[in-house]
Amino acid sequence: MQIAYRARDLAEAHIVAGLLQSRGIESHVGGHYLQGAMGEIGAAGFTNVHVEDEDYSRARVLVAEYESSAPPETSSHVGQVEDRANRYATWFLLFLAVVMVVLFGAL
């Protein structure tokens, strides 16, 4: 299987998978258990739509059509979302580090 589409989130991955399946291309959405691993932050880069090797070229054509019909995102909005996600991730990792120090310090 090959990755035909790297989605921003699980909902978008299922939309693209549904599009592919409506055109007769079997697809699989990966990354279900990774979404929300850090609260509201999506696990970026792990939610993908997979297709069989022989369907990959047809799937990429359909994905390209889907991407061209999507409204363009403003780069400032994308940057703000990424900054917020990075800030949440940093605080979450800091919290985990403090919890680990407290737990191992108590032993």
Side-chain angles (χ1 to χ4, degrees):
M1 292 192 97
Q2 294 189 32
I3 297 174
Y5 186 68
R6 295 183 189 278
R8 288 185 297 266
D9 55 33
L10 193 56
E12 183 183 32
H14 279 287
I15 289 169
V16 172
L19 169 70
L20 295 176
Q21 289 176 355
S22 72
R23 302 292 177 92
I25 299 173
E26 288 296 319
S27 62
H28 169 75
V29 176
H32 284 100
Y33 300 111
L34 298 173
Q35 284 297 110
M38 294 174 55
E40 293 183 16
I41 301 171
F46 293 106
T47 308
N48 302 314
V49 179
H50 303 268
V51 297
E52 294 295 332
D53 295 339
E54 58 271 5
D55 293 328
Y56 179 75
S57 59
R58 281 189 333 141
R60 284 300 306 155
V61 169
L62 293 171
V63 165
E65 290 175 10
Y66 168 77
E67 289 174 330
S68 67
S69 68
E73 294 182 21
T74 60
S75 60
S76 63
H77 175 68
V78 173
Q80 290 171 353
V81 170
E82 288 177 359
D83 288 344
R84 187 176 64 192
N86 287 336
R87 191 170 51 248
Y88 286 153
T90 301
W91 283 107
F92 178 75
L93 292 175
L94 180 62
F95 172 75
L96 281 180
V98 169
V99 168
M100 295 301 287
V101 167
V102 168
L103 287 176
F104 286 118
L107 295 176

